[in-house]
Coordinates of all heavy atoms in Angstrom, one line a residue:
M770 N -21.6 8.9 -20.1 CA -22.4 8.6 -21.3 C -21.6 8.9 -22.6 O -21.7 8.2 -23.6 CB -23.6 9.5 -21.3 CG -24.7 9.0 -22.1 SD -25.3 7.4 -21.5 CE -25.9 6.7 -23.1
I771 N -20.8 10.0 -22.6 CA -19.9 10.3 -23.8 C -18.9 9.2 -24.0 O -18.7 8.8 -25.1 CB -19.2 11.6 -23.6 CG1 -20.3 12.8 -23.7 CG2 -18.1 11.8 -24.6 CD1 -19.7 14.1 -23.3
T772 N -18.4 8.7 -22.9 CA -17.4 7.5 -23.1 C -18.1 6.3 -23.6 O -17.5 5.6 -24.4 CB -16.8 7.2 -21.7 OG1 -16.2 8.4 -21.2 CG2 -15.7 6.1 -21.8
A773 N -19.3 6.0 -23.1 CA -20.1 4.9 -23.6 C -20.3 5.0 -25.1 O -20.1 4.0 -25.9 CB -21.4 4.7 -22.9
Y774 N -20.8 6.2 -25.6 CA -21.0 6.4 -27.0 C -19.7 6.2 -27.8 O -19.7 5.6 -28.9 CB -21.6 7.8 -27.2 CG -23.1 7.8 -27.0 CD1 -23.7 8.8 -26.1 CD2 -24.0 7.0 -27.6 CE1 -25.0 8.9 -25.9 CE2 -25.4 7.0 -27.4 CZ -25.9 8.0 -26.5 OH -27.2 8.1 -26.3
S775 N -18.7 6.8 -27.3 CA -17.4 6.7 -28.0 C -16.9 5.3 -28.1 O -16.4 4.8 -29.2 CB -16.3 7.6 -27.3 OG -15.1 7.5 -27.9
Q776 N -17.0 4.5 -27.0 CA -16.5 3.1 -27.1 C -17.4 2.2 -27.9 O -17.0 1.2 -28.5 CB -16.5 2.5 -25.7 CG -15.4 3.2 -24.8 CD -15.4 2.7 -23.4 OE1 -16.3 2.0 -23.0 NE2 -14.3 3.0 -22.6
Y777 N -18.7 2.6 -28.0 CA -19.7 1.8 -28.8 C -19.5 2.2 -30.3 O -20.1 1.4 -31.1 CB -21.1 2.2 -28.3 CG -22.1 1.3 -29.0 CD1 -22.2 -0.1 -28.7 CD2 -23.1 1.9 -29.8 CE1 -23.2 -0.8 -29.3 CE2 -24.1 1.1 -30.4 CZ -24.1 -0.3 -30.1 OH -25.1 -1.0 -30.7
G778 N -18.8 3.2 -30.6 CA -18.6 3.6 -32.0 C -19.6 4.6 -32.5 O -19.6 4.9 -33.7
D779 N -20.4 5.1 -31.6 CA -21.4 6.1 -32.0 C -20.8 7.5 -31.7 O -21.3 8.2 -30.8 CB -22.7 5.9 -31.3 CG -23.8 6.6 -32.0 OD1 -23.6 7.5 -32.9 OD2 -25.0 6.3 -31.6
G780 N -19.8 7.9 -32.5 CA -19.2 9.2 -32.2 C -20.0 10.4 -32.4 O -19.9 11.4 -31.7
E781 N -21.0 10.3 -33.3 CA -21.9 11.4 -33.6 C -22.7 11.8 -32.3 O -22.9 12.9 -32.0 CB -22.8 11.1 -34.8 CG -22.0 11.0 -36.1 CD -22.9 10.7 -37.2 OE1 -24.2 10.8 -37.0 OE2 -22.4 10.4 -38.3
E782 N -23.2 10.7 -31.7 CA -24.0 11.0 -30.4 C -23.1 11.6 -29.3 O -23.6 12.4 -28.5 CB -24.7 9.7 -30.0 CG -25.8 9.2 -30.9 CD -27.0 10.2 -30.9 OE1 -27.2 10.9 -29.8 OE2 -27.7 10.3 -31.9
A783 N -21.9 11.1 -29.3 CA -21.0 11.6 -28.3 C -20.8 13.1 -28.5 O -20.8 13.9 -27.5 CB -19.7 10.9 -28.3

Side-chain angles (χ1 to χ4, degrees):
M770 203 64 209
I771 289 173
T772 304
Y774 279 127
S775 177
Q776 292 176 351
Y777 188 67
D779 197 349
E781 294 182 9
E782 288 297 327

